[in-house]
Amino acid sequence: QLVESGGGLVQAGGSLRLSCTASGGTLSSYSMAWFRQGPGKEREFVARINRISGNGGNTYYPGSVKGRFTISRDNAANTVFLQMNSLKSEDTAVYSCAADRGLYFTTVAADYDYWGQGTQVTVSS
């Protein structure tokens, strides 16, 4: 089970840090990602961090968040983080973390095996 926290209301230009903690499993075995879904929009890939063993723990971001968002993981704490800086109103969405046990890089939501319930991020302009 994945549980997100850290969402809330923030002004444009501000920062938030989201957390995703696993219970009943070990996150170190998975590549992890964050997705978001804004009002009236399709689900969008936000960030991915590969499992460290075999994949080097590399990170990936789409252009819309690159340079502003940072994904990281603390395997000892069984937690993945998403640091979001310089937030914009268009970042408003429900943010969900997801776990991928596969071996190949993917940004397709359907390829991810486990999901959290999501946490709301609202950026006021």
Side-chain angles (χ1 to χ4, degrees):
Q1 182 181 4
L2 301 176
V3 179
E4 301 95 338
S5 61
L9 175 64
V10 64
Q11 289 188 332
S15 299
L16 281 176
R17 189 174 83 152
L18 307 183
S19 299
C20 171
T21 301
S23 60
T26 304
L27 282 187
S28 61
S29 301
Y30 298 85
S31 294
M32 299 296 297
W34 288 91
F35 289 80
R36 68 185 181 187
Q37 188 164 18
K41 298 181 180 180
E42 294 187 352
R43 185 178 287 173
E44 176 188 14
F45 167 75
V46 174
R48 174 180 167 111
I49 184 166
N50 287 339
R51 64 173 65 80
I52 293 177
S53 175
N55 297 95
N58 293 337
T59 58
Y60 303 90
Y61 308 91
S64 57
V65 307
K66 194 170 187 178
R68 300 189 298 122
F69 290 12
T70 302
I71 188 171
S72 61
R73 65 194 303 159
D74 182 345
N75 287 337
N78 228 20
T79 301
V80 174
F81 304 98
L82 184 68
Q83 177 68 43
M84 305 186 295
N85 299 328
S86 302
L87 283 162
K88 306 175 182 179
S89 57
E90 52 262 44
D91 295 319
T92 294
V94 175
Y95 285 72
S96 301
C97 66
D100 172 24
R101 63 187 173 192
L103 299 177
Y104 303 105
F105 173 81
T106 178
T107 63
V108 177
D111 292 337
Y112 287 76
D113 302 289
Y114 302 102
W115 289 81
Q117 83 289 349
T119 185
Q120 177 70 47
V121 171
T122 302
V123 184
S124 63
S125 56

